[in-house]
Amino acid sequence: MKLILSAPGGLEDLVAQQSAQLGCDVEHVTPGEVRVHIEDPAKLYDLLLWLRHTSRIILPLAEGPVEGDEDLYRLTQRVDWTRHLPLVPGFRVDVFGSAEWIRDRRYPAVIVKDAIVDQFRDKFDDRPNSGSDEPNRVEVRFNRGRATVGLNLAGEPLDRRGYRAPGHPATLREGLGAALLERARWTPETPLMDPFCGSGTLIIEAALIASGQAPGLYRENSAEHWLRYKPDAMAAARARAVKKRREPPREPRLWGRDIDPAFIQLCRKQADDMGLTPWVKFDVASIEELPDVERPDEWLVLTNPPWGKRLRTDDIEHLYETLGKTMKAHWPGARLALLTDRRELAQATGLRVGRRNAISAGVDKLHLHHYDIGPATAGQPVKTIEPSPDLAARLTKRYKHLRKWANRQGIEAYRIYDADIPEYSFVIDLYGDRIHVAEYEPPKQIDPVVARRRREQMLCTVAQVFEMAESDIVFKTRARGGDYERGEDDDWMEISEEGARLRVNLTRYNDTGVFLDHRGARRWLAQNASGKDCLNLFSYTATASVRMALAGARKVASVDLSPRYTRWAEQNFRMNKLAKEQHPLIQADVVEWIYNAPPAIYDMVLLDPPTFSNSARTDTVLDLKKDAASLLAEVHRVLRPGGQCLFSNNAKGFKLPKELEPAWSEVVPFTERTRDQDCPPSHRSGHKSWLLTK
């Protein structure tokens, strides 16, 4: 059985991850949906009970190109609806997406309804009712000239768990609340507090997870009216879910507080209705009344404060300022994550933002801001962190060896450490006299308290080995779903790489402007570029283009969609006294650009695409595993006979499409040829490359 799981914007990775954990084979992830395959159709009932972040489960029944109403009617008629829908109760048609020929979404809904009704009349001389109140859901999805017609087996969105009464005042949907817990890296072992809990969504969603209760245990689904519905399979799934419930702790560690007594009363009623009262506690209190706790460094404070829609700006900024001051005074060492729609409110806390996650909530574009509250203030004990002897020994050995090699090569930026010791999962790079540390996002099964202590020990060890203050170490966490731009600092510096000058920024972005593990590829390109016409696709800051141009390439064209990277590339070219007229920097959608490029005009192409891209600047969606063949076919077209393409990517599990090989005279695995001494194979890296000759 193939299924489509709807995914709120920015949460596709969470939907894919949970569906895989529930036993689905994830086939395709695109904006707004995750397509999966299940071997056993009975697994559907587990999905209806356990999926937390998706809102709909669609069983696709017909898919194809649709250019108008007649095509849509014929596509709908391809399904034998009498095998899926009963005469009673009836059905409704929901339409998602758009097409050029659609002016009103009610129009395709009527076409689909007519196609289904006509089929029933022809077979039974009778028809089911149709209307917005009917429980069976037929769904039509339009995308890029194609339509998918299927059944929504969930009915009402799955993230409506059933614990909210009609007219519920909450603004945070249950599925989004569960997603915020994931983005904040909360685990059931971590005590949680929400000082602006409102109707308690975050605390109740955490209690569902901690108690092992299936979020869909108490809700009804449209699948119950589906003619292929198996009541025994659903009963068995519910029985399995009930067995997974855990015993509550002696003292609740999920704590909601709010200044409004009506909200707290509502929270307590909802928790009681769901059987979660032993897991939670709710208090009426203002943010100024935040109490001291014994071990604040073990707590996560996750909250969705007011955004200012019902308060004056001065009042709302004061509220955020009070939150920051109270956290620093009473909860040193805690983690804080807060959701808001404006960066200035996040800054009003007076706390330094560590990372941000973009979150879509309907028309609101929000960010989840993460902070580590500073150390204890005067009069409070300060924990001492000892350096790790094993990590110190590893860093000292690597640095002693690599600095001699780098000096001989004229390299000022190189990698010293890449998760060599599993407990310390970090990348440590040296840029001149500065240290750049990037943490691999800890797995969710790692207690955040343990992860933070390892982080502190790592920073302490790096500071000791390199004889520098911890505050001078640039530290980042590479988290999926995080914003690319991290801060406002214009912390620019220049480095030298084998005669080239390159501009980097260690603090403002997740990446620094130069990929150190690609240096071997840049060296090979420079060694082979002399006198050739070269093309750099997805050129980023054009560091490889600089190396090729300095090595005597006749022409190097660099193409990238980002205006920021194009400006950065211009600065790299200016520093190396390279003329843009000879080596053009082109800001464009790479896929569209190469499709329109003339044939047979380049001798060498560097193709290093992202694994997935759906930039707001273009309608093109690039999925490398799906699009690699067509992309390489265009590269083949623009190469001259005998020309070469260095193709590399970081897609985990990527395999070169076999159908490509007949078109190329030679295809050679090239990963080992492009590795440098400071970047040996890493269990974390999916980087691989091939050399293809036309």
Side-chain angles (χ1 to χ4, degrees):
M1 180 182 288
K2 292 183 182 292
L3 299 170
I4 300 173
L5 311 181
S6 66
L11 303 184
E12 292 87 355
D13 60 322
L14 298 183
V15 173
Q17 177 180 302
Q18 193 189 14
S19 60
Q21 291 170 347
L22 291 171
C24 300
D25 293 325
V26 178
E27 295 186 334
H28 200 50
V29 180
T30 54
E33 71 176 37
V34 176
R35 295 192 175 229
V36 303
H37 173 263
I38 52 177
E39 291 290 339
D40 182 2
K43 181 64 65 177
L44 166 68
Y45 304 102
D46 291 322
L47 299 181
L48 289 167
L49 292 179
W50 287 101
L51 283 174
R52 296 187 187 279
H53 312 299
T54 192
S55 57
R56 304 186 311 283
I57 299 178
I58 300 97
L59 174 67
L61 297 174
E63 296 187 77
V66 170
E67 297 181 358
D69 51 5
E70 294 183 359
D71 289 343
L72 181 59
Y73 184 92
R74 283 193 293 268
L75 180 68
T76 307
Q77 282 270 305
R78 279 166 44 185
V79 181
D80 184 353
W81 293 98
T82 64
R83 299 177 60 193
H84 294 280
L85 296 176
L87 277 167
V88 179
F91 69 95
R92 58 181 280 182
V93 180
D94 297 319
V95 177
F96 297 88
S98 61
E100 290 184 2
W101 59 276
I102 298 175
R103 296 294 177 264
D104 187 330
R105 286 188 182 180
R106 290 173 294 185
Y107 181 49
V110 170
I111 294 169
V112 171
K113 183 262 296 182
D114 288 345
I116 296 172
V117 167
D118 290 349
Q119 201 175 90
F120 272 87
R121 281 175 172 159
D122 291 343
K123 190 169 185 177
F124 300 120
D125 198 25
D126 198 356
R127 55 157 289 178
N129 288 330
S130 60
S132 59
D133 295 331
E134 299 294 342
N136 290 304
R137 304 283 184 98
V138 175
E139 181 164 310
V140 189
R141 301 165 69 87
F142 292 98
N143 185 31
R144 296 178 178 272
R146 295 179 64 84
T148 302
V149 182
L151 284 178
N152 173 3
L153 299 178
E156 287 297 312
L158 281 175
D159 56 4
R160 295 179 186 173
R161 318 289 196 215
Y163 59 78
R164 287 182 174 172
H168 196 289
T171 58
L172 191 66
R173 291 184 65 166
E174 298 96 308
L176 180 57
L180 295 178
L181 291 163
E182 293 257 13
R183 293 293 190 223
R185 303 178 196 168
W186 175 80
T187 66
E189 296 75 28
T190 305
L192 175 71
M193 199 266 284
D194 181 357
F196 300 99
C197 71
S199 56
T201 302
L202 291 171
I203 299 299
I204 292 177
E205 288 298 312
L208 286 172
I209 296 171
S211 66
Q213 179 170 308
L217 193 60
Y218 295 113
R219 54 164 279 135
E220 295 181 353
N221 301 288
S222 289
E224 295 171 26
H225 304 289
W226 180 37
L227 292 182
R228 297 188 180 183
Y229 177 70
K230 305 294 184 185
D232 292 345
M234 176 56 92
R238 290 186 185 276
R240 290 193 299 272
V242 170
K243 288 182 179 179
K244 292 184 178 181
R245 295 194 64 166
R246 306 184 187 101
E247 292 296 321
R250 293 181 180 178
E251 294 291 335
R253 291 162 62 85
L254 306 174
W255 194 1
R257 296 162 64 88
D258 199 277
I259 198 171
D260 190 336
F263 271 126
I264 295 301
Q265 183 179 1
L266 178 61
C267 291
R268 290 170 177 163
K269 180 182 185 305
Q270 291 175 156
D272 188 58
D273 290 344
M274 297 292 284
L276 298 172
T277 298
W279 293 85
V280 300
K281 62 178 178 178
F282 292 102
D283 295 332
V284 178
S286 69
I287 187 60
E288 292 89 347
E289 299 170 310
L290 194 67
D292 293 326
V293 293
E294 185 176 349
R295 289 294 304 273
D297 61 316
E298 295 183 353
W299 283 74
L300 168 66
V301 178
L302 175 62
T303 190
N304 175 29
W307 302 343
K309 293 185 176 180
R310 290 180 294 273
L311 294 175
R312 297 194 311 271
T313 300
D314 292 345
D315 294 336
I316 199 70
E317 290 185 355
H318 175 71
L319 189 68
Y320 280 73
E321 181 183 355
T322 302
L323 172 62
K325 289 180 178 179
T326 307
M327 289 294 297
K328 284 192 288 187
H330 296 277
W331 288 55
R335 291 185 298 135
L336 169 65
L338 66 86
L339 185 70
T340 185
D341 65 339
R342 283 177 284 162
R343 182 174 294 187
E344 60 267 23
L345 292 179
Q347 293 171 340
T349 62
L351 304 172
R352 183 176 178 83
V353 178
R355 60 188 177 94
R356 292 190 298 271
N357 298 116
I359 304 288
S360 294
V363 297
D364 294 310
K365 301 302 179 184
L366 314 174
H367 285 87
L368 185 65
H369 301 263
H370 303 265
Y371 312 83
D372 272 316
I373 307 304
T377 56
Q380 292 177 312
V382 179
K383 295 184 297 180
T384 58
I385 302 294
E386 295 293 331
S388 163
D390 292 342
L391 181 59
R394 180 65 178 168
L395 293 178
T396 301
K397 180 179 179 180
R398 290 277 293 167
Y399 178 54
K400 183 178 180 180
H401 165 68
L402 289 171
R403 65 180 176 181
K404 296 177 182 178
W405 163 80
N407 288 337
R408 289 194 303 269
Q409 295 289 115
I411 296 171
E412 291 182 351
Y414 52 95
R415 181 151 297 164
I416 298 170
Y417 175 90
D418 188 359
D420 302 351
I421 302 173
E423 291 79 9
Y424 301 98
S425 190
F426 305 89
V427 174
I428 302 175
D429 298 327
L430 186 69
Y431 286 82
D433 58 355
R434 303 185 67 184
I435 298 290
H436 178 274
V437 178
E439 177 187 29
Y440 289 113
E441 185 174 21
K444 290 181 173 56
Q445 62 267 28
I446 300 296
D447 188 323
V449 175
V450 173
R452 185 169 68 248
R453 288 173 182 166
R454 287 178 181 172
R455 186 182 308 134
E456 292 169 352
Q457 189 173 46
M458 182 277 305
L459 290 171
C460 174
T461 306
V462 171
Q464 179 197 64
V465 170
F466 294 97
E467 299 179 349
M468 64 192 321
E470 287 187 33
S471 58
D472 293 332
I473 300 170
V474 178
F475 176 81
K476 302 168 186 170
T477 296
R478 293 185 174 275
R480 292 182 179 180
D483 275 356
Y484 192 83
E485 186 167 344
R486 304 184 61 89
E488 304 295 338
D489 300 332
D490 280 327
D491 189 5
W492 297 97
M493 62 181 294
E494 294 180 19
I495 60 165
S496 177
E497 182 181 281
E498 299 174 340
R501 300 298 296 170
L502 304 175
R503 199 165 190 252
V504 299
N505 190 311
L506 302 188
T507 58
R508 188 164 187 177
Y509 309 100
N510 271 339
D511 293 313
T512 64
V514 57
F515 295 118
L516 301 186
D517 55 339
H518 292 194
R519 189 191 313 107
R522 292 193 291 272
R523 181 184 298 125
W524 184 89
L525 290 165
Q527 291 170 346
N528 292 274
S530 180
K532 294 181 179 178
D533 293 319
C534 304
L535 174 63
N536 184 358
L537 298 174
F538 304 97
S539 56
Y540 188 43
T541 59
T543 54
S545 302
V546 168
R547 294 292 305 272
M548 288 188 282
L550 288 174
R554 182 166 51 230
K555 171 186 176 182
V556 184
S558 306
V559 188
D560 198 279
L561 178 61
S562 168
R564 175 197 299 153
Y565 296 150
T566 304
R567 292 192 298 269
W568 199 330
E570 289 176 357
Q571 294 164 341
N572 280 332
F573 269 64
R574 281 200 299 270
M575 286 193 307
N576 290 277
K577 298 181 172 55
L578 296 170
K580 289 192 301 179
E581 294 74 20
Q582 182 181 356
H583 306 293
L585 298 170
I586 304 164
Q587 183 204 329
D589 181 331
V590 172
V591 176
E592 290 185 3
W593 184 89
I594 194 170
Y595 181 81
N596 294 302
I601 60 172
Y602 293 105
D603 303 300
M604 193 158 62
V605 175
L606 170 60
L607 176 62
D608 185 27
T611 301
F612 183 84
S613 175
N614 60 339
S615 172
R617 298 189 184 95
T618 177
D619 293 332
T620 302
V621 176
L622 174 66
D623 183 339
L624 182 62
K625 292 184 178 180
K626 183 183 73 172
D627 300 329
S630 59
L631 198 56
L632 282 166
E634 293 301 319
V635 170
H636 184 276
R637 186 180 60 81
V638 302
L639 278 170
R640 294 175 177 133
Q644 293 180 307
C645 170
L646 180 57
F647 171 50
S648 62
N649 65 74
N650 289 301
K652 293 289 181 70
F654 178 87
K655 294 181 180 179
L656 199 67
K658 290 185 177 180
E659 63 268 24
L660 290 176
E661 296 189 9
W664 300 85
S665 65
E666 188 176 24
V667 177
V668 179
F670 220 60
T671 307
E672 298 305 319
R673 290 281 302 275
T674 57
R675 293 196 195 279
D676 227 348
Q677 285 196 29
D678 58 327
C679 296
S682 166
H683 68 286
R684 288 283 191 172
S685 174
H687 187 72
K688 58 190 75 68
S689 60
W690 296 264
L691 184 64
L692 298 90
T693 303
K694 183 172 179 178

